Amino acid sequence: MTNNAHAPATPLCHLDQLPDPGSKGLMHEGQALFAVRQGQQVFVYENRCPHRGIPLEWTPDSFLDHSGRLIQCATHGALFLPETGECVAGPCSGQFLRQLPCRINGGQVWLIEANTD
Ligand code: FES
Protein backbone atom coordinates (compact mmCIF):
# COMPACT_ATOMS: atom_id res chain seq x y z
CA MET A 1 0.00 0.00 0.00
CA THR A 2 1.25 3.49 -0.71
CA ASN A 3 0.39 6.98 0.38
CA ASN A 4 0.65 8.48 -3.09
CA ALA A 5 -2.78 10.12 -3.02
CA HIS A 6 -2.51 11.98 -6.30
CA ALA A 7 -1.24 9.39 -8.78
CA PRO A 8 -3.70 8.15 -11.42
CA ALA A 9 -5.46 5.00 -10.22
CA THR A 10 -8.09 2.48 -11.30
CA PRO A 11 -10.61 0.77 -9.00
CA LEU A 12 -9.78 -2.83 -8.08
CA CYS A 13 -12.39 -3.87 -5.52
CA HIS A 14 -14.35 -2.60 -2.53
CA LEU A 15 -12.57 -2.80 0.79
CA ASP A 16 -15.51 -4.66 2.32
CA GLN A 17 -15.07 -7.45 -0.26
CA LEU A 18 -11.84 -8.37 1.52
CA PRO A 19 -12.05 -10.37 4.75
CA ASP A 20 -10.12 -8.85 7.64
CA PRO A 21 -7.63 -10.37 8.06
CA GLY A 22 -7.81 -12.32 4.85
CA SER A 23 -7.13 -12.54 1.15
CA LYS A 24 -8.95 -12.59 -2.16
CA GLY A 25 -8.08 -13.49 -5.72
CA LEU A 26 -8.84 -10.77 -8.29
CA MET A 27 -8.67 -10.33 -12.04
CA HIS A 28 -7.63 -6.95 -13.38
CA GLU A 29 -7.32 -6.30 -17.12
CA GLY A 30 -6.66 -9.99 -17.73
CA GLN A 31 -4.02 -10.24 -15.01
CA ALA A 32 -4.43 -12.60 -12.05
CA LEU A 33 -3.80 -10.73 -8.80
CA PHE A 34 -4.57 -11.21 -5.14
CA ALA A 35 -5.07 -8.81 -2.28
CA VAL A 36 -4.22 -9.30 1.37
CA ARG A 37 -5.99 -7.23 3.99
CA GLN A 38 -4.78 -6.52 7.50
CA GLY A 39 -7.12 -4.00 9.10
CA GLN A 40 -7.01 -0.82 7.05
CA GLN A 41 -3.94 -1.98 5.15
CA VAL A 42 -4.19 -3.77 1.81
CA PHE A 43 -1.36 -5.25 -0.23
CA VAL A 44 -1.84 -6.34 -3.85
CA TYR A 45 0.37 -8.86 -5.63
CA GLU A 46 0.60 -10.61 -8.96
CA ASN A 47 -0.66 -14.18 -8.43
CA ARG A 48 2.59 -15.82 -9.47
CA CYS A 49 4.95 -17.70 -7.19
CA PRO A 50 8.61 -16.81 -7.85
CA HIS A 51 9.55 -20.49 -7.38
CA ARG A 52 7.79 -22.02 -10.40
CA GLY A 53 5.88 -19.07 -11.86
CA ILE A 54 2.47 -20.57 -11.10
CA PRO A 55 -0.55 -19.30 -9.12
CA LEU A 56 -0.15 -19.55 -5.35
CA GLU A 57 -3.56 -20.89 -4.33
CA TRP A 58 -5.29 -24.26 -4.69
CA THR A 59 -8.51 -23.10 -3.04
CA PRO A 60 -10.13 -19.87 -4.29
CA ASP A 61 -9.19 -16.79 -2.23
CA SER A 62 -6.90 -18.79 0.11
CA PHE A 63 -3.48 -17.14 0.03
CA LEU A 64 -2.60 -17.13 3.74
CA ASP A 65 -1.12 -19.73 6.06
CA HIS A 66 -3.07 -21.13 9.01
CA SER A 67 -1.94 -18.23 11.23
CA GLY A 68 -3.38 -15.69 8.77
CA ARG A 69 -0.17 -13.67 9.07
CA LEU A 70 1.87 -14.90 6.12
CA ILE A 71 1.16 -15.45 2.45
CA GLN A 72 1.61 -19.12 1.56
CA CYS A 73 2.09 -20.85 -1.77
CA ALA A 74 -0.02 -24.01 -1.78
CA THR A 75 2.31 -25.97 -4.08
CA HIS A 76 5.53 -26.21 -2.03
CA GLY A 77 4.63 -24.14 1.01
CA ALA A 78 6.77 -21.02 0.49
CA LEU A 79 5.91 -18.28 3.00
CA PHE A 80 5.96 -14.56 2.16
CA LEU A 81 5.67 -11.39 4.23
CA PRO A 82 2.37 -9.61 3.40
CA GLU A 83 3.99 -6.18 3.66
CA THR A 84 6.82 -6.72 1.17
CA GLY A 85 6.21 -10.02 -0.59
CA GLU A 86 9.61 -11.33 0.49
CA CYS A 87 9.84 -15.11 0.72
CA VAL A 88 11.04 -15.90 4.26
CA ALA A 89 10.81 -19.71 4.09
CA GLY A 90 10.64 -22.32 1.37
CA PRO A 91 12.29 -23.08 -1.98
CA CYS A 92 12.38 -19.45 -3.19
CA SER A 93 13.62 -17.91 0.07
CA GLY A 94 14.91 -14.37 -0.48
CA GLN A 95 12.89 -13.83 -3.67
CA PHE A 96 9.85 -11.57 -3.88
CA LEU A 97 6.29 -11.64 -5.11
CA ARG A 98 5.61 -8.74 -7.49
CA GLN A 99 3.71 -6.09 -5.57
CA LEU A 100 1.40 -3.61 -7.28
CA PRO A 101 1.04 -0.22 -5.59
CA CYS A 102 -2.44 0.55 -4.32
CA ARG A 103 -4.29 2.89 -2.01
CA ILE A 104 -7.62 2.94 -0.20
CA ASN A 105 -10.00 5.80 -0.78
CA GLY A 106 -13.73 6.03 -0.27
CA GLY A 107 -14.03 2.38 0.78
CA GLN A 108 -12.45 1.30 -2.49
CA VAL A 109 -9.07 -0.26 -3.22
CA TRP A 110 -7.36 1.52 -6.11
CA LEU A 111 -4.47 0.26 -8.17
CA ILE A 112 -2.03 3.04 -8.87
CA GLU A 113 -1.15 3.14 -12.52
CA ALA A 114 2.42 2.49 -13.53
CA ASN A 115 4.41 5.55 -14.52
CA THR A 116 4.40 5.61 -18.33
CA ASP A 117 7.07 8.29 -18.76
S1 FES B 1 5.53 -23.14 -6.76
FE1 FES B 1 5.33 -21.87 -4.98
S2 FES B 1 6.67 -22.76 -3.55
FE2 FES B 1 6.96 -23.97 -5.33
Side-chain angles (χ1 to χ4, degrees):
M1 200 166 73
T2 178
N3 291 322
N4 189 345
H6 303 292
T10 54
L12 182 63
C13 66
H14 287 283
L15 185 61
D16 60 13
Q17 289 179 282
L18 303 176
D20 179 23
S23 60
K24 182 174 179 56
L26 300 160
M27 288 297 293
H28 180 73
E29 297 180 350
Q31 188 177 25
L33 308 176
F34 68 96
V36 175
R37 179 176 178 184
Q38 294 180 328
Q40 293 302 304
Q41 286 195 301
V42 173
F43 305 97
V44 177
Y45 290 97
E46 182 180 15
N47 187 4
R48 182 179 186 278
C49 181
H51 179 217
R52 290 280 167 84
I54 58 176
L56 279 85
E57 88 285 28
W58 284 349
T59 305
D61 302 327
S62 294
F63 293 88
L64 302 180
D65 71 347
H66 63 275
S67 75
R69 294 185 184 155
L70 294 169
I71 297 166
Q72 183 169 42
C73 178
T75 301
H76 305 110
L79 296 170
F80 304 86
L81 297 176
E83 297 85 358
T84 63
E86 181 183 5
C87 180
V88 292
C92 46
S93 189
Q95 296 184 56
F96 286 79
L97 297 167
R98 189 170 82 86
Q99 187 169 162
L100 285 79
C102 71
R103 67 170 180 256
I104 298 170
N105 189 15
Q108 180 89 31
V109 180
W110 299 80
L111 269 188
I112 296 174
E113 294 172 16
N115 191 338
T116 55
D117 289 350

